Amino acid sequence: MISEDHLKRVAAWSRELTRAEIEVARAGITERSYGTGETVFMRGDNFDYWAGMVFGLARMGGVSRDGKETSLAGLTAGAWFGEGSVLKNEPRRYDVVALRNSRVALMERSAFMWLFENSVGFNRFLVRQLNERLGQFIGMLEVNRTLDATSRLARSIASLFNPILYPESTAHLEITQEEIGALSGMSRQNANRALNRLEKEGLLRLEYGGVTILNVERLRGYGD
């Protein structure tokens, strides 16, 4: 069982729970570490947990029949994911792979469903979460069909600053250019060119081991 303080650090949604609900959440969560390149779960897995990033970075995506990788979303510290599969009690529809050494909190489905059936605060969070995730995926579909590589990368970075999906985001991202490329579905070389262009335009600043965002709103609308 994790402590209440630790729960509130890794799960912003827990701050809306009552004391009894917090105890259920604490009792239902364990943590597991994953190395760089290790799979958290694969498409088709019966993975009976709701998951949240404690620290690290992971990529949500998949591989098509012709071997082409598709990135759906990046997952940074504070992001929780997989609630749709837990609610429907179905196999996972995508892969989640750690892009660096990461630690993941795993809530048992029984605890998740108890909170879903009994907690008003938890349900408010789920409605916001599902609505934001739907908007994220619809936006990504539009971006991939209509915008160039630099615009796709700009929007991909901006998506990591959604306050509902990524409540612990700060202006500085500890992320490498290779990792940004992986999240954006492009090579490191193409990601480097796009990042340099965005830096010249004053939207971000490239730093050793990370990126500082200078204008997230312009990144969100880049290419319009």
Side-chain angles (χ1 to χ4, degrees):
M1 179 185 291
I2 64 175
S3 71
E4 181 176 342
D5 286 344
H6 184 63
L7 175 65
K8 290 181 177 180
R9 283 197 300 273
V10 304
W13 50 264
S14 67
R15 300 162 197 168
E16 300 182 43
L17 304 185
T18 66
R19 174 69 60 181
E21 293 162 358
I22 286 173
E23 292 306 306
V24 171
R26 288 178 58 209
I29 292 177
T30 56
E31 293 185 3
R32 188 179 301 169
S33 295
Y34 295 87
T36 302
E38 192 172 353
T39 298
V40 180
F41 57 77
M42 296 181 64
R43 180 178 180 180
D45 280 356
N46 290 312
F47 188 79
D48 295 326
Y49 298 96
W50 186 41
M53 297 295 294
V54 177
F55 64 76
L57 178 68
R59 180 180 64 85
M60 179 190 298
V63 180
S64 66
R65 291 181 179 179
D66 60 2
K68 182 180 179 181
E69 288 190 352
T70 300
S71 293
L72 298 176
L75 300 166
T76 57
W80 285 76
F81 54 96
E83 57 278 348
S85 294
V86 176
L87 283 167
K88 292 182 284 187
N89 195 24
E90 66 177 15
R92 299 298 162 132
R93 294 178 175 267
Y94 48 82
D95 307 324
V96 170
V97 178
L99 296 180
R100 67 171 70 155
N101 291 339
S102 302
R103 191 161 179 83
V104 179
L106 303 170
M107 175 182 278
E108 296 174 352
R109 184 172 187 272
S110 58
F112 179 96
M113 293 306 299
W114 189 94
L115 290 170
F116 174 66
E117 292 167 358
N118 294 278
S119 172
V120 173
F122 189 68
N123 275 277
R124 287 197 189 107
F125 163 79
L126 283 180
V127 170
R128 294 195 301 270
Q129 172 94 344
L130 291 166
N131 186 54
E132 293 294 332
R133 189 70 76 191
L134 176 62
Q136 181 186 44
F137 288 161
I138 290 175
M140 182 193 68
L141 180 63
E142 178 187 13
V143 165
N144 287 339
R145 289 184 175 181
T146 62
L147 298 181
D148 62 17
T150 300
S151 300
R152 293 199 305 271
L153 182 138
R155 302 290 185 95
S156 179
I157 293 174
S159 72
L160 299 177
F161 290 87
N162 182 303
I164 304 299
L165 299 176
Y166 308 97
E168 305 303 322
S169 295
T170 63
H172 178 77
L173 289 174
E174 292 185 0
I175 189 171
T176 68
Q177 295 183 25
E178 184 175 4
E179 290 168 342
I180 291 174
L183 294 180
S184 306
M186 61 180 67
S187 68
R188 185 184 185 281
Q189 291 77 13
N190 287 336
N192 178 265
R193 283 193 289 269
L195 286 166
N196 278 287
R197 179 177 172 182
L198 295 172
E199 183 176 43
K200 288 178 181 177
E201 295 183 25
L203 277 67
L204 53 80
R205 183 171 63 247
L206 300 177
E207 299 167 346
Y208 180 76
V211 176
T212 293
I213 306 306
L214 303 178
N215 195 323
V216 69
E217 291 304 321
R218 285 185 60 195
L219 286 174
R220 285 196 179 105
Y222 195 89
D224 286 345

